[in-house]
Structures are given as structure tokens and as C-alpha cells.
Amino acid sequence: MTTLVTPAAPGPGQGTPPGAAPSLRPGMLPGMIPPNAPAPRPRRSWGRRNAVWLVLLPIAIVAAAGASSFRVWAFWWPVGLHLEVDRVALGEPAHLAGEYYDAFGLDVPERAQTTVLREIDATVTSVEQVTELPAPSYGDPVPIPEGSVAYEVRVQFAAELQTDLSLCQITLVAEDGTRYGDSTTDVLGSSNRCSTPEAEGFVSEQPEWEVTSFVLADPGAEITQVRLGFGGPEYVTFELP
């Protein structure tokens, strides 16, 4: 008669102690790798792991640069006089046409949040150096600063009633390209250089009118041009003899 004996489960204090390393297979020494153990997978290089991103990186850079340049154009292009639309001689009329966005409609409420076409005919009739400045409409007389000379520029305008005249710039340009009078405020403190002194708003109140604007320049500057614009980008040029 054969008796089967079932090994008893190890009780407390018997078998492999907790935390001890598992026992080796028969015939193996410490440090040996079992013959059927899976071979370790070779580690991929950084370039292989990021191959997809390396391919997409130039595309992302081009897209980012394009978006950035568009934002720069959108903010920079409408500001400043850098698009000449007409060029005439002193005493001849020039036609200035350009669109602008009226955000608030301060002078003409029905134009609020619309794109408006501004069209003006302008003629620079004279550009003369003066030895003193006239008294401003408000405040004390303004002396010509030491190291500067003053020019009186006379301009005749023709436009439809309620044509926007804000941001008017009357700029003198020297032979070397230096510009004088880019500010929308002139020497006498007028904030609307293309309006008559008695005008109440920033729009034309009559079909034809004349203004006088004063510009400071360097004594040795040879003035060759007058530029007229309304904040930009369009402007007209008047060539001086």
C-alpha cells in the first residue's frame, strides 16, 4: 500500500524569510542570467524617440513666424506715413484718399464702427522761414527755441463737409531725409493742424479753407519736401523748388 504525503505549508519561522532574495535555480550561481530570460530591449537614441517632433519643428517655426509677422503688419502698417499716393510741385493740388476705421463716431455718430473713405484735395501754397512765431490762440507767446529755425507752411484744402481731419500731419523733409513736424500737434499747441482755429470739432465745416502751420527745423537743414497725411499710411508729397 502506497501512502501519499502532502508537504505542509511552512508555518511561522519556516521557509524563506520576508524580504529575502528568491532562491536560485538548480545549477546556477549568483549573478547568472537564466537561459530563458527575455533579452533586454535596446534603448532608442534621443533622435529616434523625438523623430516626429524634429520633423514638425520647422513647420511650427514657420507657422509661428508667419502669425507673428501678420500681427506686426496689422499693428505697424496703418501707423506712420509710408505709402505715397500723390506727388506734385509747390502750388499744385494733390489728391489724398485713404480708408480709416471710425471706432467711436465722436464727430459723426452714424459713422461709429464703420470704415470710412477720406478724400481731400490739398495745395501747399508757400513754405517760408520766419523770425518769430505768432501768439497762440491760448496761452503766452512761444519763442523759437535756441538752435532752431521756424517755417510757416500755408495749405489750402477742399473736401466734402464733415470730412475727418484728425491726426493731421504737416511734415517738412530735408535733403538728407530728416523729417521735421511729424507730431499731430504743432509748435503753437494746435491739436488739429488741418482745421481752422475757430473750428469746433475735428471735421471740415466748409467745402474750402486754408490753414497755416508752423514747423521747427535745424538751421542748416535744406528743406526739399512737404508731406501731408492723417496718421497714415497714405500721404502726399509736395516738391519744393
Side-chain angles (χ1 to χ4, degrees):
M1 180 177 181
T2 302
T3 302
L4 299 177
V5 179
T6 303
Q14 299 180 358
T16 303
S23 59
L24 298 172
R25 296 185 181 181
M28 295 186 61
L29 298 176
M32 297 181 63
I33 299 176
N36 58 348
R41 298 178 61 184
R43 184 172 181 176
R44 293 185 300 172
S45 65
W46 182 91
R48 295 187 62 184
R49 295 197 309 273
N50 297 276
V52 175
W53 298 114
L54 289 175
V55 173
L56 295 179
L57 180 60
I59 300 176
I61 293 176
V62 171
S68 176
S69 63
F70 174 78
R71 289 193 296 270
V72 170
W73 177 89
F75 286 104
W76 167 81
W77 178 251
V79 180
L81 307 182
H82 45 258
L83 178 60
E84 185 181 72
V85 294
D86 201 358
R87 178 184 290 252
V88 298
L90 179 70
E92 296 180 354
H95 184 71
L96 175 60
E99 292 183 342
Y100 68 95
Y101 182 75
D102 192 334
F104 305 106
L106 297 179
D107 289 295
V108 186
E110 56 268 26
R111 293 178 185 167
Q113 298 183 1
T114 63
T115 299
V116 183
L117 175 63
R118 178 198 289 117
E119 290 192 83
I120 292 179
D121 290 323
T123 304
V124 175
T125 57
S126 68
V127 178
E128 297 181 356
Q129 187 174 331
V130 296
T131 57
E132 61 181 2
L133 298 172
S137 300
Y138 302 97
D140 299 327
V142 179
I144 299 175
E146 185 178 354
S148 299
V149 294
Y151 286 87
E152 178 190 71
V153 184
R154 293 183 176 272
V155 188
Q156 290 182 344
F157 291 99
E160 293 184 358
L161 298 181
Q162 294 190 323
T163 295
D164 188 1
L165 305 175
S166 59
L167 301 180
C168 171
Q169 294 171 269
I170 299 175
T171 304
L172 300 182
V173 183
E175 185 180 22
D176 62 358
T178 304
R179 300 193 303 270
Y180 302 95
D182 273 344
S183 173
T184 56
T185 302
D186 73 358
V187 179
L188 301 181
S190 174
S191 60
N192 196 342
R193 301 172 68 179
C194 288
S195 288
T196 57
E198 63 274 9
E200 297 182 358
F202 289 85
V203 296
S204 60
E205 299 177 346
Q206 47 194 340
E208 295 184 4
W209 69 101
E210 183 180 50
V211 301
T212 300
S213 187
F214 293 87
V215 182
L216 297 179
D218 293 328
E222 182 180 350
I223 306 302
T224 59
Q225 296 178 352
V226 178
R227 291 181 183 176
L228 172 69
F230 294 87
E234 300 87 3
Y235 69 93
V236 292
T237 300
F238 302 88
E239 296 279 2
L240 303 185

